[in-house]
Amino acid sequence: MNSKYLVLKERIIEELSFVKRSMQKAEEAWNKAIIENDDCYYDSTALNLHHMYNGMERIFEQIARNVDESYPEGSNWHRDLLVQMTLNIPKLRPRPSVYDFKVLKER
């Protein structure tokens, strides 16, 4: 495997760790929010969901830049990036999926 893709793999693995931690924190905060009915826990849930989304967006950005070699620009770049990640691009890459990220993490 090309060193560029080895680096990409490690970046994705590291980012997935961040995403997983954010998901766990969001779930913990949500459970406490339900029990305590405290706005601070709801705020923590929202913040950690935002962190999770940003982590996934950073993964997609790395794929777009390093594999697709095409990164969306302009005012709709967030939406365009998500759309780009839904594409199956023959001879370049398949559509990323949660399963693909899980397999990558195990290697």
Side-chain angles (χ1 to χ4, degrees):
M1 188 184 300
N2 169 324
S3 65
K4 173 181 173 180
Y5 296 115
L6 290 173
V7 170
L8 175 62
K9 175 185 171 187
E10 293 306 315
R11 284 183 176 174
I12 291 173
I13 288 170
E14 184 176 318
E15 199 63 57
L16 282 173
S17 173
F18 172 81
V19 167
K20 183 178 179 181
R21 279 193 314 276
S22 297
M23 288 173 57
Q24 290 168 339
K25 287 180 177 182
E27 185 175 12
E28 289 170 15
W30 178 254
N31 290 334
K32 288 181 181 179
I34 292 170
I35 293 167
E36 302 290 332
N37 196 26
D38 184 339
D39 284 346
C40 290
Y41 291 118
Y42 289 112
D43 292 346
S44 176
T45 300
L47 180 64
N48 281 290
L49 288 173
H50 180 73
H51 286 181
M52 182 198 73
Y53 175 82
N54 284 344
M56 292 306 299
E57 190 172 67
R58 285 189 294 270
I59 291 170
F60 294 157
E61 179 182 358
Q62 290 296 318
I63 293 169
R65 290 187 189 278
N66 293 290
V67 178
D68 298 358
E69 296 181 357
S70 173
Y71 187 76
E73 296 179 0
S75 61
N76 293 322
W77 75 266
H78 293 275
R79 181 186 55 79
D80 293 344
L81 178 62
L82 291 176
V83 169
Q84 182 174 331
M85 288 301 110
T86 66
L87 302 175
N88 182 37
I89 306 171
K91 297 184 182 180
L92 184 59
R93 67 160 174 85
R95 173 182 301 116
S97 73
V98 173
Y99 174 77
D100 294 332
F101 290 129
K102 191 181 278 188
V103 169
L104 182 62
K105 180 96 171 127
E106 293 170 359
R107 290 187 180 168

